Amino acid sequence: MVSDVINTSELHKVDPVFGQLSFDNHEQVVFCNDKDTGLKAIIGIHNTVLGPALGGTRMWQYKNEWEALNDVLRLSRGMTFKSAITGLNLGGGKAVIIGDAKTQKTPELMKRFGEFVHSLSGRYITAEDIGMETSDMDLVRDVTPYVTGISESRGGAGNPSPITAYGVFMGMKAAAKYKFGSDVLEDKTVYVQGIGHVGEALVEHLSNEGAKIIIADINEERLQQVSKAYGAEIYRGSDIYSEDMDIYAPCALGATVNDESIHKLKAQVIAGAANNQLEDEIKHGAMLRDRGIAYAPDFLINAGGIINVYAELEGYGKAEIMRKTENIYNTTLEIFKHSDTHNLTTHFSALNIAVDRIEARKKEAKK
Ligand code: NAD
């Protein structure tokens, strides 16, 4: 009998959903299962106060379901704050599909996933994330209107990466203004770690500005291409964090700002596209502040992508997308000011401002 194997006094330690640290007051978590297509997905709807929960779908071969659940909750919560700080009328949500996108993704599976999204009647709107292509979003669009990031021929806003890169560039300039007194990056040494879709477009902006650019990636072919196209130097060392640099731009993986790297970092500014750069948002945010390193919060400066897909919902054009993305400069400067005034890390300043916006909207709605 089940009761023989489960020690009920231990249950509080293994609360699977509400008790997860990353649960953090999610409104709704939806588990989607379809035997025929093999679909196993989780949709997290963190908050819908400002609008429908919008966030991408990630397909990943998680080690286990706990890892998948934790990932979707963490990402969905992050979307709430990203949209709120950016001034968009969107809530936060995210979805994960458990499986290998290369071998297990089929059109049938994507459409079945779309049907689950549709069953939420617009409370959650999906988009692309890791393991997804525009063509997958087109398949989802066949069964539900609650999807963004579809192809331009079907009314989509197109590739978000150049917009994301522009926002990161704006955030970087604002951080430079705060730290160095000028937002001109001409004489600055910038390490761009990860020169994928966003990283390459960021390198282009930096190159136009005349910065000294050093690029790092695990993909040698891309290194050669980007180096040639923009005159960037390829990093050949083994410990990027110890190098002399003014600005560190993480554009590959999350959690690169951690106990180990912070002690070595010589950069005075961190501004990049990667999500969840701080391994521990409390501890590592504080360590950066103590060391006087100006950290431009990732979820604020990489919001260009969400601004781009929001345009699909609101029907505004490229000029407005660029205006909103450019405004990341002003918001980043405000965050630095707010963090000094309130003696907070920049990460928590940005979070607090986002939460204030949500709370104000809640109050308004009650009137
Ligand atoms: P991408 O997959 O196109 O590029 C990532 C690059 O990082 C690849 O070239 C890869 O080879 C490289 N890389 C992987 N591991 C590395 C390592 N250990 N060291 C150095 N390089 C490594 O992804 P992208 O779309 O450019 O996104 C980059 C980051 O920005 C991701 O963390 C993503 O979540 C985040 N982001 C992207 C967008 C967007 O619009 N694409 C929006 C918001 C946030």
Side-chain angles (χ1 to χ4, degrees):
M1 265 167 61
V2 172
S3 55
D4 288 333
V5 282
I6 293 180
N7 176 352
T8 48
S9 68
E10 293 285 302
L11 272 181
H12 66 284
K13 290 188 185 160
V14 291
D15 284 343
V17 182
F18 299 115
Q20 291 261 314
L21 198 63
S22 47
F23 182 75
D24 189 38
N25 289 313
H26 267 72
E27 288 178 13
Q28 195 176 8
V29 182
V30 183
F31 294 85
C32 316
N33 181 59
D34 183 64
K35 187 166 166 278
D36 294 344
T37 58
L39 175 75
K40 281 197 169 19
I42 313 173
I43 300 172
I45 299 179
H46 179 249
N47 192 289
T48 57
V49 171
L50 296 175
L54 193 147
T57 296
R58 175 172 293 191
M59 186 160 183
W60 192 254
Q61 219 170 4
Y62 292 99
K63 280 194 223 106
N64 53 53
E65 291 169 15
W66 289 109
E67 198 186 59
L69 177 62
N70 193 50
D71 203 33
V72 74
L73 294 175
R74 209 173 44 92
L75 292 164
S76 148
R77 170 182 179 266
M79 292 309 295
T80 297
F81 302 125
K82 183 185 297 221
S83 285
I85 191 76
T86 311
L88 308 180
N89 288 323
L90 288 174
K94 201 91 182 179
V96 297
I97 298 177
I98 301 171
D100 184 344
K102 287 201 182 81
T103 57
Q104 289 171 276
K105 193 170 62 180
T106 60
E108 294 72 30
L109 179 137
M110 286 315 303
K111 285 193 180 185
R112 191 68 190 99
F113 173 69
E115 285 166 5
F116 279 108
V117 170
H118 193 69
S119 73
L120 294 166
S121 308
R123 276 175 61 71
Y124 169 67
I125 300 173
T126 198
E128 261 178 69
D129 195 70
I130 296 168
M132 289 292 136
E133 312 286 336
T134 307
S135 55
D136 297 315
M137 295 304 110
D138 286 346
L139 287 166
V140 172
R141 182 66 187 86
D142 287 344
V143 293
T144 181
Y146 306 123
V147 54
T148 56
I150 54 176
S151 45
E152 283 180 88
S153 60
R154 295 185 66 170
N159 180 7
S161 303
I163 316 288
T164 302
Y166 184 56
V168 171
F169 182 59
M170 287 295 113
M172 186 185 284
K173 277 173 97 51
K177 171 95 180 151
Y178 169 80
K179 190 68 198 175
F180 308 122
S182 162
D183 64 12
V184 177
L185 302 176
E186 197 179 345
D187 58 343
K188 299 290 180 258
T189 301
V190 186
Y191 271 64
V192 182
Q193 182 184 41
I195 40 152
H197 294 102
V198 181
E200 177 176 356
L202 176 65
V203 166
E204 186 176 357
H205 288 296
L206 290 168
S207 161
N208 292 340
E209 178 106 351
K212 181 167 189 275
I213 313 157
I214 325 277
I215 52 174
D217 202 291
I218 50 172
N219 183 332
E220 183 61 33
E221 208 181 317
R222 282 205 67 79
L223 282 171
Q224 296 296 340
Q225 279 167 1
V226 174
S227 165
K228 206 166 150 209
Y230 309 101
E233 191 184 313
I234 298 175
Y235 181 61
R236 294 295 182 196
S238 57
D239 190 8
I240 193 171
Y241 308 106
S242 319
E243 301 296 334
D244 276 322
M245 65 179 93
D246 298 301
I247 301 173
Y248 165 50
C251 295
L253 311 167
T256 59
V257 181
N258 52 41
D259 283 349
E260 213 187 311
S261 63
I262 294 176
H263 285 300
K264 296 177 191 167
L265 264 178
K266 295 189 182 128
Q268 295 192 62
V269 165
I270 300 177
N275 281 312
N276 304 317
Q277 290 166 24
L278 306 179
E279 187 176 72
D280 177 324
E281 58 186 47
I282 299 174
K283 180 181 176 193
H284 298 127
M287 279 171 77
L288 291 178
R289 188 167 162 76
D290 290 348
R291 294 207 50 203
I293 299 173
Y295 167 65
D298 48 12
F299 66 92
L300 162 65
I301 72 167
N302 72 14
I306 189 113
I307 292 172
N308 197 55
V309 292
Y310 186 56
E312 286 182 31
L313 301 176
E314 294 288 301
Y316 56 74
K318 217 46 173 204
E320 182 60 10
I321 292 174
M322 296 316 280
R323 194 199 62 75
K324 279 189 159 53
T325 307
E326 198 164 309
N327 195 44
I328 288 176
Y329 180 96
N330 296 325
T331 315
T332 308
L333 275 184
E334 268 170 43
I335 296 300
F336 280 114
K337 207 167 143 198
H338 184 277
S339 80
D340 281 342
T341 311
H342 299 276
N343 199 19
L344 286 170
T345 67
T346 48
H347 182 83
F348 277 98
S349 276
L351 272 187
N352 284 359
I353 292 173
V355 169
D356 285 351
R357 187 167 170 244
I358 295 167
E359 290 303 317
R361 182 68 65 85
K362 252 194 208 162
K363 270 192 200 137
E364 250 173 59
K366 278 186 189 147
K367 274 183 198 163

